[in-house]
Amino acid sequence: MLVALTIGTLLASGGAISYAALVRHQEAQIQRELAWGTRYGTIADPPVCVWIFEYDGSTVEAGTAPPTGFPLRDALVRVAATRSTETSSVARDATVYHVRTEARGDVVVQAVFDARFQLSDRRHLLFAFSLAATVGIIAAVLTALLVSCRAVAPLAEALTRQRRFVADASHELRTPIAQVHTRAQLMARRARTAGSTPHLHDLELLIGTTRRLGEVVDDLLLSAQLAAAPAGRSPRPPVDLTSLVATTAAAESERAAERRVTLTVDTPGAPLPVPGVESALRRVVSELLANALAHTPAGGRIGVTLRAGDGQAELVVADTGDGFDQADAQRLFDRFHRGTNAGERRFGLGLALLREVVTSHHGTIEAQGHPGRGATFTVRLPSTRE
């Protein structure tokens, strides 16, 4: 586009300069012809374009049939009285007449020049430059599109390969990580039975590490799947968000009780369908609840509210936990961003993946918070509820 704009600017500048030069040359030529005609009583140009009138104080003598409205009698009378020279232009009958009135001896001579051919030359010049500018801009745009497509194609292919690699690697890593995690749990169970406390501590750390590693792999796999199959390619089945929120919150209620955190859920009495992927939407609700539990101390409260309105479903998860500075609200959704109170829970893909899921479902997510006064996350998704 920049190339097209540059070419268009250069052609417009060249056209303007050429047009101005042509007009200046034509005007000078016309004035020379008029001056010659008033001085010698004739002009060598075609008679259809030039008329000479002589005024002796009472009558006007014309050589050929003049155009309507000529001669300009007022100009003849004034010049006869003042013996000065007058020049003027009259626009009439889709052309411009240039008039020069001058005293010559005992008579006053008025020369009229029809500039219709000069005006035609100007129009032809403007048309030629306009056509050249249009063709040049179109050619520049097509060239830019062709070059950009050829330049972007390798990048798109590289990005596709990268996503495929992430998806394949994540899929292949899930099984060995699950095996290691299960093996560590069995060894920890045996260590408890044998009363081997030092080994039990190390195994608990190993179990926590493999669990977090599995979460990261799951996040990467889901992110790659969302990028490889964006929304809009095929219709998605409706998912009952009311049931999904209720079951997910129920699954987290035991952990909330262990942390002595009050968890309340407010959902509509009727189903609230939204088009989407159930596992991905369940991950959204689960991630919001897990994030709230991780940052809400004992004695705190977490409220989950689901409501419908204006063709959309709105999910609000509010807590009375640590909160955050509102200036950092957008950074919370950056990949691998860790909050000040994140601890060892995650490596920063959770909220970033959450935004990817919501965006792929044509929704929006907002975060509001205040340090020490809790945080509120609001998710809005298009609903098919009538």
Side-chain angles (χ1 to χ4, degrees):
M1 294 305 294
L2 182 60
V3 174
L5 181 61
T6 302
I7 292 176
T9 302
L10 291 175
L11 289 175
S13 301
I17 294 173
S18 300
Y19 184 80
L22 176 64
V23 171
R24 183 177 179 181
H25 172 74
Q26 288 179 342
E27 294 291 340
Q29 180 65 27
I30 290 172
Q31 294 304 320
R32 286 196 297 268
E33 294 288 347
L34 290 173
W36 179 274
T38 55
R39 180 174 301 177
Y40 299 103
T42 182
I43 297 180
D45 280 339
V48 294
C49 297
V50 180
W51 296 266
I52 303 295
F53 306 94
E54 292 186 358
Y55 176 63
D56 60 4
S58 59
T59 61
V60 177
E61 181 180 349
T64 58
T68 304
F70 291 98
L72 302 180
R73 293 184 176 274
D74 292 341
L76 291 171
V77 172
R78 284 194 302 271
V79 172
T82 61
R83 311 301 291 179
S84 61
T85 300
E86 289 188 10
T87 59
S88 61
S89 298
V90 178
R92 184 181 297 165
D93 301 330
T95 185
V96 175
Y97 296 97
H98 294 267
V99 183
R100 181 184 177 92
T101 308
E102 181 180 349
R104 190 185 67 193
D106 296 334
V107 298
V108 176
V109 180
Q110 186 176 89
V112 179
F113 189 100
D114 185 353
R116 66 178 65 243
F117 294 116
Q118 286 74 13
L119 295 177
S120 178
D121 291 341
R122 297 176 191 179
R123 288 192 295 268
H124 291 161
L125 180 64
L126 289 177
F127 175 77
F129 271 103
S130 299
L131 181 61
T134 302
V135 172
I137 292 174
I138 293 175
V141 170
L142 293 177
T143 302
L145 290 176
L146 179 61
V147 172
S148 62
C149 289
R150 291 185 176 181
V152 172
L155 297 178
E157 183 180 357
L159 183 59
T160 302
R161 291 181 179 179
Q162 180 186 22
R163 289 172 176 169
R164 187 183 302 117
F165 169 77
V166 171
D168 294 343
S170 301
H171 186 272
E172 295 298 327
L173 286 173
R174 293 179 71 184
T175 300
I177 290 174
Q179 293 175 346
V180 172
H181 184 70
T182 303
R183 187 64 179 173
Q185 288 179 319
L186 292 175
M187 294 177 65
R189 188 177 304 170
R190 293 174 183 174
R192 290 191 193 95
T193 303
S196 179
T197 304
H199 295 292
L200 179 61
H201 177 70
D202 292 338
L203 289 172
E204 293 290 348
L205 292 178
L206 179 60
I207 292 172
T209 301
T210 54
R211 183 181 64 254
R212 292 192 297 272
L213 183 58
E215 291 174 350
V216 171
V217 170
D218 289 341
D219 287 348
L220 289 173
L221 181 58
L222 181 56
S223 177
Q225 291 172 345
L226 290 173
R233 290 189 178 180
S234 59
R236 287 174 169 174
V239 178
D240 183 8
L241 205 57
T242 300
S243 175
L244 188 146
V245 170
T247 56
T248 306
E252 296 289 347
S253 59
E254 183 177 350
R255 185 150 60 121
E258 292 177 355
R259 294 172 175 266
R260 291 181 295 167
V261 174
T262 302
L263 176 61
T264 60
V265 180
D266 182 13
T267 60
L272 182 54
V274 296
V277 181
E278 182 175 357
S279 59
L281 293 176
R282 188 179 302 276
R283 187 59 176 275
V284 171
V285 181
S286 176
E287 180 63 34
L288 288 176
L289 287 173
N291 183 72
L293 284 171
H295 294 88
T296 303
R301 299 185 307 277
I302 298 176
V304 180
T305 303
L306 178 65
R307 50 179 172 259
D310 297 331
Q312 66 179 4
E314 184 179 81
L315 173 66
V316 180
V317 178
D319 63 66
T320 59
D322 303 325
F324 56 88
D325 190 343
Q326 187 61 32
D328 297 331
Q330 291 301 320
R331 294 184 57 200
L332 296 176
F333 300 100
D334 291 343
R335 285 176 175 257
F336 300 103
H337 172 70
R338 291 171 63 95
T340 55
N341 299 315
E344 296 182 354
R345 175 180 161 270
R346 281 297 183 101
F347 290 90
L349 272 174
L351 292 179
L353 177 62
L354 186 151
R355 183 170 62 178
E356 288 185 23
V357 173
V358 172
T359 302
S360 70
H361 285 72
H362 303 292
T364 61
I365 180 170
E366 298 176 357
Q368 294 181 343
H370 302 279
R373 293 162 53 190
T376 301
F377 288 84
T378 304
V379 176
R380 296 181 179 88
L381 297 169
S383 173
T384 58
R385 180 179 181 180
E386 295 182 358

